[in-house]
Amino acid sequence: MLDAWDGLTLDRRADVADRLADAVEVATRRVGRELTELVATDPAAQRVTPLEVVRGAIREPTAVLADAGVAAVARDEFEERSFPSDRYGLTPRTFADLGDDDLGPLHLVWGFAKAQALRASRPQPPR
């Protein structure tokens, strides 16, 4: 993204790239903690999905880009409506966007496991 935007000098671009790398590390640690907390939470109390947590990883890089004055990118109507705080088109629509073919099926397994846990915790009607 920085290479496509000519609003930064080479020195400033290098500085922003370093800050982006740091932001990605911070986001990775935070998202890891949040995912750990999510799976440790009782399924009935879970209010987000793993994908929603991962989508939050844009917060730190977005702040760096905005602070550097990088212009927002053009996004389609779906992205603007679905991800209004994502000025730079960083939000993954699905786990497949992250480039790991195992994450999508794992997300489905999480959903099935949560549904099974919730079903099992409901009082059963008398027979």
Side-chain angles (χ1 to χ4, degrees), residues 2-3 6 14 17 19 22 24 27 48 50 55 60 62-63 74 79 81 83-84 87 95 98 105 110 113:
L2 291 178
D3 291 337
D6 61 1
R19 290 181 47 224
D22 292 343
V24 168
V48 296
R55 285 177 174 158
E60 292 85 353
T62 296
E79 288 174 333
R81 184 179 61 253
F83 314 115
R87 300 174 50 196
F95 275 118
L98 300 176
W110 171 84

Side-chain angles (χ1 to χ4, degrees), residues 14-97:
D15 175 57
V16 172
D18 289 343
R19 290 181 47 224
L20 278 172
D22 292 343
V24 168
E25 285 184 36
V26 169
T28 299
R29 286 193 301 272
R30 180 181 53 76
V31 166
R33 284 191 308 273
E34 290 177 10
L35 286 170
T36 299
E37 291 170 10
L38 176 65
V39 297
T41 301
D42 182 278
Q46 294 175 355
R47 299 293 177 247
V48 296
T49 69
L51 183 56
E52 288 175 289
V53 172
V54 169
R55 285 177 174 158
I58 70 159
R59 184 171 52 199
E60 292 85 353
T62 296
V64 170
L65 293 170
D67 184 57
V70 175
V73 299
R75 299 180 299 137
D76 66 30
E77 289 180 29
F78 172 83
E79 288 174 333
E80 288 181 2
R81 184 179 61 253
S82 300
F83 314 115
S85 63
D86 182 11
R87 300 174 50 196
Y88 302 106
L90 302 175
T91 302
R93 288 186 182 193
T94 70
F95 275 118
D97 293 339

